[in-house]
Coordinates of all heavy atoms in Angstrom, one line a residue:
M1 N -9.4 -1.4 32.4 CA -9.3 -0.4 31.4 C -8.7 -1.0 30.1 O -7.7 -1.7 30.1 CB -8.3 0.7 31.9 CG -8.2 1.9 30.9 SD -7.3 3.2 31.8 CE -6.9 4.2 30.5
F2 N -9.3 -0.7 29.0 CA -8.9 -1.3 27.7 C -7.8 -0.5 27.1 O -7.9 0.8 27.0 CB -10.1 -1.3 26.7 CG -9.7 -1.8 25.4 CD1 -9.4 -3.1 25.1 CD2 -9.7 -0.9 24.3 CE1 -9.1 -3.5 23.8 CE2 -9.3 -1.3 23.0 CZ -9.0 -2.6 22.8
M3 N -6.7 -1.1 26.7 CA -5.6 -0.5 26.1 C -5.4 -1.0 24.7 O -5.1 -2.2 24.5 CB -4.3 -0.7 26.8 CG -4.3 -0.1 28.2 SD -4.3 1.7 28.2 CE -2.6 2.0 27.7
P4 N -5.7 -0.2 23.6 CA -5.5 -0.8 22.2 C -4.1 -1.1 21.9 O -3.1 -0.5 22.5 CB -6.0 0.4 21.4 CG -5.9 1.6 22.2 CD -6.0 1.2 23.6
A5 N -3.9 -2.0 21.0 CA -2.5 -2.4 20.6 C -1.9 -1.3 19.9 O -2.5 -0.4 19.4 CB -2.6 -3.6 19.7
A6 N -0.6 -1.3 19.9 CA 0.2 -0.2 19.3 C -0.1 -0.1 17.8 O -0.1 1.0 17.2 CB 1.7 -0.4 19.6
N7 N -0.3 -1.3 17.2 CA -0.5 -1.3 15.8 C -1.9 -0.6 15.4 O -2.0 0.1 14.4 CB -0.6 -2.7 15.2 CG 0.8 -3.3 15.2 OD1 1.8 -2.6 15.2 ND2 0.9 -4.7 15.2
T8 N -2.9 -0.8 16.3 CA -4.2 -0.2 16.1 C -4.0 1.3 16.2 O -4.6 2.1 15.4 CB -5.2 -0.7 17.1 OG1 -5.2 -2.1 17.1 CG2 -6.5 -0.2 16.9
V9 N -3.3 1.8 17.2 CA -3.1 3.3 17.4 C -2.4 3.8 16.2 O -2.7 4.9 15.7 CB -2.4 3.6 18.7 CG1 -2.1 5.0 18.8 CG2 -3.2 3.1 19.9
L10 N -1.3 3.1 15.7 CA -0.6 3.6 14.6 C -1.4 3.6 13.3 O -1.4 4.6 12.6 CB 0.6 2.7 14.3 CG 1.5 3.0 13.1 CD1 2.2 4.4 13.3 CD2 2.6 1.9 12.9
L11 N -2.2 2.6 13.1 CA -3.1 2.6 11.9 C -4.2 3.7 12.0 O -4.4 4.4 11.0 CB -3.9 1.3 11.9 CG -4.8 1.1 10.7 CD1 -4.1 1.2 9.4 CD2 -5.6 -0.2 10.8
A12 N -4.7 4.0 13.2 CA -5.7 5.1 13.3 C -5.0 6.4 13.1 O -5.6 7.3 12.4 CB -6.3 5.1 14.7
S13 N -3.8 6.6 13.5 CA -3.0 7.8 13.2 C -2.8 8.0 11.7 O -2.9 9.1 11.2 CB -1.7 7.8 14.0 OG -1.9 7.7 15.4
I14 N -2.4 7.0 11.1 CA -2.2 7.1 9.6 C -3.5 7.4 8.9 O -3.5 8.2 8.0 CB -1.6 5.7 9.1 CG1 -0.1 5.6 9.6 CG2 -1.6 5.7 7.6 CD1 0.5 4.3 9.4
V15 N -4.6 6.7 9.2 CA -5.8 7.0 8.6 C -6.3 8.5 8.8 O -6.7 9.2 7.9 CB -6.9 6.0 9.1 CG1 -8.3 6.5 8.7 CG2 -6.6 4.6 8.6
L16 N -6.1 9.0 10.1 CA -6.4 10.3 10.4 C -5.6 11.3 9.6 O -6.1 12.3 9.0 CB -6.3 10.6 11.9 CG -6.7 12.0 12.4 CD1 -8.1 12.2 12.1 CD2 -6.4 12.1 13.8
A17 N -4.3 11.0 9.5 CA -3.4 11.9 8.7 C -3.8 11.9 7.2 O -3.8 13.0 6.6 CB -2.0 11.5 8.9
A18 N -4.1 10.8 6.7 CA -4.6 10.7 5.3 C -5.9 11.5 5.1 O -6.0 12.1 4.1 CB -4.7 9.2 4.9
L19 N -6.8 11.4 6.0 CA -8.0 12.1 5.9 C -7.8 13.6 5.9 O -8.4 14.3 5.2 CB -9.0 11.7 7.0 CG -10.4 12.3 7.0 CD1 -11.1 11.9 5.8 CD2 -11.1 11.8 8.3
V20 N -7.0 14.1 6.8 CA -6.7 15.5 6.9 C -6.0 16.0 5.6 O -6.4 17.0 5.0 CB -5.8 15.8 8.1 CG1 -5.2 17.2 8.0 CG2 -6.5 15.6 9.4
L21 N -5.1 15.2 5.1 CA -4.4 15.5 3.8 C -5.4 15.6 2.7 O -5.4 16.5 1.8 CB -3.3 14.5 3.5 CG -2.5 14.8 2.2 CD1 -1.8 16.1 2.2 CD2 -1.6 13.6 2.0
F22 N -6.3 14.6 2.6 CA -7.3 14.5 1.5 C -8.3 15.7 1.6 O -8.6 16.4 0.6 CB -8.2 13.2 1.7 CG -9.3 13.2 0.7 CD1 -9.1 12.9 -0.6 CD2 -10.6 13.3 1.1 CE1 -10.1 12.9 -1.5 CE2 -11.7 13.3 0.3 CZ -11.4 13.0 -1.1
M23 N -8.7 16.1 2.8 CA -9.6 17.2 3.0 C -8.9 18.5 2.6 O -9.6 19.4 2.1 CB -10.2 17.3 4.4 CG -11.1 16.1 4.7 SD -12.4 15.9 3.5 CE -13.4 17.4 3.9
S24 N -7.6 18.7 2.9 CA -6.9 19.9 2.5 C -6.8 20.0 1.0 O -6.8 21.1 0.4 CB -5.6 20.0 3.2 OG -4.7 19.0 2.7
C25 N -6.7 18.8 0.3 CA -6.6 18.8 -1.2 C -8.0 19.1 -1.8 O -8.0 19.9 -2.8 CB -6.1 17.5 -1.7 SG -4.4 17.2 -1.3
V26 N -9.0 18.6 -1.2 CA -10.4 18.8 -1.8 C -10.8 20.3 -1.7 O -11.4 20.8 -2.6 CB -11.4 17.9 -1.1 CG1 -12.8 18.3 -1.4 CG2 -11.1 16.5 -1.4
S27 N -10.4 20.9 -0.6 CA -10.8 22.3 -0.4 C -10.1 23.3 -1.4 O -10.6 24.4 -1.7 CB -10.4 22.8 1.0 OG -9.0 22.8 1.2
S28 N -9.0 22.8 -2.1 CA -8.3 23.7 -3.1 C -8.6 23.3 -4.5 O -8.1 23.9 -5.4 CB -6.8 23.6 -2.9 OG -6.3 22.3 -3.1
L29 N -9.6 22.4 -4.7 CA -10.0 22.0 -6.1 C -10.6 23.2 -6.8 O -11.4 23.9 -6.3 CB -10.9 20.8 -6.1 CG -10.3 19.4 -5.8 CD1 -11.4 18.4 -5.8 CD2 -9.2 19.1 -6.8
G30 N -10.3 23.3 -8.1 CA -10.9 24.4 -8.9 C -10.4 25.8 -8.6 O -11.0 26.7 -9.1
Q31 N -9.4 25.9 -7.9 CA -8.9 27.3 -7.6 C -8.3 28.0 -8.8 O -8.2 29.2 -8.8 CB -7.9 27.3 -6.4 CG -6.6 26.7 -6.7 CD -5.7 26.6 -5.5 OE1 -6.2 27.0 -4.4 NE2 -4.5 26.3 -5.6
W32 N -7.9 27.2 -9.9 CA -7.4 27.8 -11.1 C -8.4 27.7 -12.2 O -8.1 27.9 -13.4 CB -6.1 27.1 -11.5 CG -5.0 27.3 -10.5 CD1 -4.3 28.5 -10.2 CD2 -4.5 26.3 -9.6 NE1 -3.4 28.3 -9.3 CE2 -3.5 26.9 -8.8 CE3 -4.8 25.0 -9.4 CZ2 -2.8 26.3 -7.9 CZ3 -4.1 24.3 -8.4 CH2 -3.1 25.0 -7.7
G33 N -9.6 27.3 -11.9 CA -10.7 27.2 -13.0 C -10.8 25.8 -13.5 O -10.2 24.9 -13.0
M34 N -11.5 25.6 -14.6 CA -11.8 24.3 -15.1 C -10.5 23.8 -15.8 O -9.8 24.6 -16.5 CB -12.9 24.4 -16.2 CG -14.3 24.5 -15.6 SD -14.7 23.0 -14.6 CE -14.8 21.8 -15.9
P35 N -10.2 22.6 -15.7 CA -9.0 22.0 -16.4 C -9.2 22.0 -17.9 O -10.4 21.8 -18.3 CB -8.8 20.6 -15.8 CG -10.0 20.3 -15.1 CD -10.8 21.6 -14.8
T36 N -8.2 22.2 -18.7 CA -8.3 22.1 -20.1 C -7.5 20.9 -20.7 O -6.5 20.5 -20.1 CB -7.7 23.4 -20.8 OG1 -6.4 23.6 -20.4 CG2 -8.5 24.6 -20.3
V37 N -8.0 20.4 -21.8 CA -7.4 19.3 -22.4 C -7.1 19.7 -23.9 O -8.0 20.2 -24.5 CB -8.3 18.0 -22.4 CG1 -7.7 16.9 -23.1 CG2 -8.6 17.7 -20.9
S38 N -5.9 19.4 -24.3 CA -5.6 19.7 -25.7 C -5.3 18.4 -26.5 O -5.0 17.4 -25.9 CB -4.4 20.7 -25.8 OG -3.2 20.0 -25.4
I39 N -5.4 18.5 -27.8 CA -5.1 17.4 -28.6 C -3.6 17.0 -28.5 O -3.3 15.8 -28.4 CB -5.4 17.7 -30.1 CG1 -6.9 18.0 -30.3 CG2 -5.0 16.6 -31.0 CD1 -7.8 16.8 -30.0
A40 N -2.8 17.9 -28.3 CA -1.3 17.6 -28.1 C -1.1 16.9 -26.9 O -0.3 15.9 -26.9 CB -0.5 18.9 -28.1
A41 N -1.8 17.2 -25.8 CA -1.6 16.5 -24.5 C -2.1 15.0 -24.7 O -1.5 14.1 -24.2 CB -2.3 17.2 -23.4
V42 N -3.3 14.9 -25.3 CA -3.8 13.5 -25.5 C -2.9 12.7 -26.3 O -2.6 11.5 -26.0 CB -5.2 13.6 -26.1 CG1 -5.7 12.3 -26.5 CG2 -6.2 14.3 -25.2
C43 N -2.3 13.3 -27.4 CA -1.4 12.5 -28.3 C -0.1 12.1 -27.5 O 0.4 11.0 -27.6 CB -1.1 13.3 -29.5 SG -2.4 13.5 -30.7
A44 N 0.4 13.1 -26.7 CA 1.6 12.8 -25.9 C 1.3 11.6 -24.9 O 2.1 10.7 -24.7 CB 2.0 14.0 -25.1
L45 N 0.2 11.7 -24.2 CA -0.1 10.6 -23.3 C -0.3 9.3 -24.0 O 0.2 8.2 -23.5 CB -1.4 10.9 -22.5 CG -1.2 12.1 -21.4 CD1 -2.6 12.4 -20.8 CD2 -0.3 11.6 -20.4
L46 N -1.0 9.2 -25.1 CA -1.2 8.0 -25.8 C 0.1 7.4 -26.4 O 0.3 6.2 -26.3 CB -2.2 8.2 -27.0 CG -3.7 8.4 -26.6 CD1 -4.5 8.6 -27.8 CD2 -4.2 7.2 -25.8
S47 N 1.0 8.3 -26.8 CA 2.3 7.8 -27.3 C 3.1 7.3 -26.1 O 3.9 6.3 -26.3 CB 3.1 8.9 -28.0 OG 3.4 10.0 -27.1
G48 N 3.0 7.8 -24.9 CA 3.7 7.3 -23.8 C 3.2 6.0 -23.4 O 3.9 5.1 -23.0
I49 N 1.8 5.8 -23.5 CA 1.2 4.5 -23.1 C 1.7 3.4 -24.1 O 2.0 2.3 -23.7 CB -0.3 4.6 -23.1 CG1 -0.8 5.5 -22.0 CG2 -1.0 3.3 -23.1 CD1 -2.2 5.9 -22.0
L50 N 1.7 3.8 -25.4 CA 2.2 2.8 -26.4 C 3.7 2.5 -26.2 O 4.0 1.3 -26.3 CB 2.0 3.4 -27.8 CG 2.4 2.5 -29.0 CD1 1.6 1.3 -29.0 CD2 2.3 3.3 -30.3
A51 N 4.5 3.4 -25.9 CA 5.9 3.2 -25.7 C 6.1 2.2 -24.5 O 6.9 1.3 -24.6 CB 6.7 4.5 -25.5
T52 N 5.4 2.5 -23.4 CA 5.6 1.6 -22.2 C 5.1 0.2 -22.5 O 5.6 -0.8 -22.0 CB 4.9 2.2 -21.0 OG1 3.6 2.4 -21.2 CG2 5.6 3.5 -20.6
T53 N 4.0 0.1 -23.3 CA 3.5 -1.3 -23.6 C 4.5 -2.0 -24.5 O 4.8 -3.2 -24.2 CB 2.2 -1.1 -24.4 OG1 1.3 -0.4 -23.6 CG2 1.6 -2.5 -24.7
V54 N 5.1 -1.4 -25.5 CA 6.1 -2.0 -26.3 C 7.4 -2.4 -25.4 O 7.9 -3.5 -25.6 CB 6.5 -1.1 -27.5 CG1 7.7 -1.6 -28.2 CG2 5.4 -1.0 -28.4
E55 N 7.7 -1.5 -24.5 CA 8.9 -1.8 -23.7 C 8.6 -3.0 -22.8 O 9.5 -3.8 -22.5 CB 9.2 -0.6 -22.8 CG 10.4 -0.8 -22.0 CD 10.7 0.4 -21.1 OE1 9.9 1.4 -21.0 OE2 11.7 0.4 -20.4
S56 N 7.4 -3.1 -22.3 CA 7.0 -4.3 -21.4 C 7.2 -5.6 -22.2 O 7.7 -6.6 -21.6 CB 5.6 -4.1 -20.9 OG 5.5 -3.1 -20.0
V57 N 6.8 -5.6 -23.5 CA 6.9 -6.8 -24.3 C 8.4 -7.2 -24.4 O 8.8 -8.3 -24.3 CB 6.2 -6.6 -25.6 CG1 6.5 -7.8 -26.5 CG2 4.7 -6.5 -25.5
G58 N 9.2 -6.2 -24.6 CA 10.6 -6.4 -24.7 C 11.2 -6.9 -23.4 O 12.1 -7.7 -23.4
D59 N 10.7 -6.4 -22.3 CA 11.2 -6.8 -21.0 C 10.9 -8.3 -20.8 O 11.7 -9.0 -20.1 CB 10.6 -6.0 -19.9 CG 11.1 -4.6 -19.8 OD1 12.2 -4.3 -20.4 OD2 10.5 -3.7 -19.2
Y60 N 9.7 -8.8 -21.2 CA 9.4 -10.2 -21.1 C 10.4 -11.0 -21.8 O 10.9 -12.0 -21.2 CB 8.0 -10.5 -21.7 CG 6.8 -10.0 -20.9 CD1 5.7 -9.4 -21.5 CD2 6.8 -10.0 -19.5 CE1 4.6 -8.9 -20.8 CE2 5.7 -9.6 -18.8 CZ 4.6 -9.0 -19.5 OH 3.6 -8.6 -18.8
H61 N 10.8 -10.7 -23.0 CA 11.7 -11.4 -23.7 C 13.1 -11.3 -23.1 O 13.9 -12.3 -23.1 CB 11.7 -11.0 -25.2 CG 10.4 -11.5 -25.9 ND1 10.2 -12.8 -26.3 CD2 9.3 -10.8 -26.2 CE1 9.0 -12.8 -26.8 NE2 8.4 -11.6 -26.8
A62 N 13.5 -10.1 -22.7 CA 14.8 -9.9 -22.1 C 15.0 -10.8 -20.8 O 16.0 -11.4 -20.6 CB 15.1 -8.5 -21.8
C63 N 13.9 -10.8 -20.0 CA 14.0 -11.5 -18.7 C 14.1 -13.0 -19.0 O 14.8 -13.8 -18.3 CB 12.8 -11.2 -17.8 SG 12.8 -9.6 -17.1
A64 N 13.4 -13.5 -20.0 CA 13.4 -14.9 -20.4 C 14.8 -15.3 -20.9 O 15.3 -16.3 -20.5 CB 12.4 -15.2 -21.5
K65 N 15.4 -14.4 -21.6 CA 16.8 -14.7 -22.1 C 17.8 -14.7 -21.0 O 18.7 -15.5 -20.9 CB 17.2 -13.6 -23.2 CG 18.4 -13.9 -23.9 CD 18.7 -12.9 -25.0 CE 19.9 -13.3 -25.8 NZ 20.1 -12.4 -26.9
L66 N 17.7 -13.7 -20.0 CA 18.6 -13.7 -18.9 C 18.4 -14.9 -18.0 O 19.4 -15.4 -17.4 CB 18.4 -12.4 -18.1 CG 18.9 -11.2 -18.6 CD1 18.5 -10.0 -17.8 CD2 20.4 -11.2 -18.7
A67 N 17.2 -15.4 -17.9 CA 16.9 -16.6 -17.0 C 17.2 -17.9 -17.7 O 17.2 -19.0 -17.1 CB 15.4 -16.6 -16.6
G68 N 17.5 -17.8 -19.1 CA 17.8 -19.0 -19.8 C 16.6 -19.9 -20.1 O 16.7 -21.1 -20.2
T69 N 15.5 -19.3 -20.2 CA 14.2 -20.0 -20.4 C 13.7 -19.6 -21.8 O 14.1 -18.6 -22.4 CB 13.2 -19.7 -19.4 OG1 12.9 -18.3 -19.4 CG2 13.6 -20.1 -18.0
P70 N 12.8 -20.4 -22.4 CA 12.3 -20.0 -23.7 C 11.4 -18.8 -23.5 O 10.9 -18.5 -22.4 CB 11.4 -21.2 -24.1 CG 11.2 -22.0 -22.8 CD 12.3 -21.7 -21.9
P71 N 11.3 -18.0 -24.6 CA 10.4 -16.8 -24.5 C 9.0 -17.1 -24.2 O 8.5 -18.2 -24.4 CB 10.5 -16.2 -26.0 CG 11.2 -17.2 -26.8 CD 11.8 -18.3 -26.0
P72 N 8.3 -16.2 -23.6 CA 7.0 -16.5 -23.1 C 6.0 -16.7 -24.3 O 6.3 -16.1 -25.4 CB 6.6 -15.2 -22.3 CG 7.5 -14.2 -22.8 CD 8.7 -14.8 -23.2
P73 N 5.0 -17.5 -24.2 CA 4.1 -17.7 -25.3 C 3.3 -16.4 -25.6 O 3.2 -15.5 -24.8 CB 3.1 -18.8 -24.8 CG 3.3 -18.8 -23.4 CD 4.6 -18.3 -23.0
L74 N 2.8 -16.3 -26.8 CA 2.2 -15.0 -27.3 C 1.0 -14.7 -26.4 O 0.7 -13.5 -26.1 CB 1.7 -15.2 -28.7 CG 1.2 -13.9 -29.4 CD1 2.2 -12.8 -29.3 CD2 0.8 -14.2 -30.8
H75 N 0.2 -15.7 -26.0 CA -1.0 -15.4 -25.2 C -0.6 -14.8 -23.8 O -1.3 -14.0 -23.2 CB -1.9 -16.6 -25.0 CG -1.3 -17.7 -24.1 ND1 -0.4 -18.6 -24.6 CD2 -1.4 -18.0 -22.8 CE1 -0.1 -19.4 -23.7 NE2 -0.7 -19.1 -22.6
A76 N 0.5 -15.2 -23.3 CA 1.0 -14.7 -22.0 C 1.5 -13.2 -22.1 O 1.2 -12.4 -21.3 CB 2.1 -15.5 -21.4
V77 N 2.1 -12.9 -23.2 CA 2.6 -11.5 -23.5 C 1.4 -10.7 -23.7 O 1.3 -9.5 -23.2 CB 3.6 -11.5 -24.7 CG1 3.9 -10.1 -25.0 CG2 4.8 -12.2 -24.3
N78 N 0.5 -11.1 -24.5 CA -0.8 -10.4 -24.8 C -1.5 -10.1 -23.5 O -2.1 -9.0 -23.3 CB -1.6 -11.2 -25.8 CG -2.6 -10.4 -26.5 OD1 -2.5 -9.1 -26.4 ND2 -3.5 -11.0 -27.2
R79 N -1.6 -11.1 -22.6 CA -2.4 -10.9 -21.4 C -1.7 -9.9 -20.5 O -2.3 -9.0 -19.9 CB -2.5 -12.3 -20.6 CG -3.2 -12.2 -19.3 CD -3.4 -13.6 -18.7 NE -2.1 -14.3 -18.6 CZ -1.9 -15.5 -19.1 NH1 -2.9 -16.2 -19.6 NH2 -0.7 -16.1 -19.0
G80 N -0.3 -9.9 -20.5 CA 0.4 -8.9 -19.6 C 0.3 -7.5 -20.2 O 0.3 -6.5 -19.4
A81 N 0.3 -7.4 -21.5 CA 0.2 -6.0 -22.1 C -1.2 -5.4 -22.1 O -1.3 -4.2 -22.0 CB 0.7 -6.1 -23.5
L82 N -2.2 -6.2 -22.1 CA -3.5 -5.7 -22.2 C -4.3 -5.7 -20.9 O -5.4 -5.2 -20.8 CB -4.3 -6.5 -23.2 CG -3.8 -6.4 -24.6 CD1 -4.6 -7.3 -25.6 CD2 -3.8 -5.0 -25.1
H83 N -3.8 -6.3 -19.8 CA -4.5 -6.3 -18.5 C -3.8 -5.6 -17.5 O -2.7 -5.5 -17.2 CB -4.8 -7.7 -18.1 CG -5.8 -8.4 -19.0 ND1 -5.5 -9.4 -19.7 CD2 -7.1 -8.1 -19.2 CE1 -6.6 -9.8 -20.4 NE2 -7.6 -9.0 -20.1

């Protein structure tokens, strides 16, 4: 008689629970009608994105200063902020 490993049973249980949760969410989509988007919401989200990008650049320099290393080169900061 084949007995699956405990990890396999645990993984199958997690996948099944995630599937049940996903299906319960899908069945309630659209219950309040079509979503709306306003200019104010778009501006708020874009300003949040810009603020976190600027903060990330500051974090690169702060970490370099704490570690006692030279600041990161511009191409490395640019790669981190844009990817």
Side-chain angles (χ1 to χ4, degrees):
M1 182 170 168
F2 175 72
M3 296 291 287
N7 290 340
T8 307
V9 174
L10 178 63
L11 180 63
S13 300
I14 291 172
V15 168
L16 182 62
L19 182 61
V20 168
L21 180 63
F22 175 74
M23 292 307 292
S24 68
C25 291
V26 168
S27 65
S28 64
L29 285 178
Q31 68 183 9
W32 296 289
M34 285 296 292
T36 58
V37 177
S38 67
I39 297 296
V42 171
C43 290
L45 288 173
L46 288 176
S47 65
I49 291 168
L50 180 65
T52 56
T53 302
V54 170
E55 183 183 6
S56 292
V57 171
D59 288 343
Y60 289 139
H61 291 283
C63 288
K65 189 172 184 177
L66 284 173
T69 60
L74 186 59
H75 69 277
V77 172
N78 201 10
R79 182 177 48 232
L82 297 177
H83 290 116

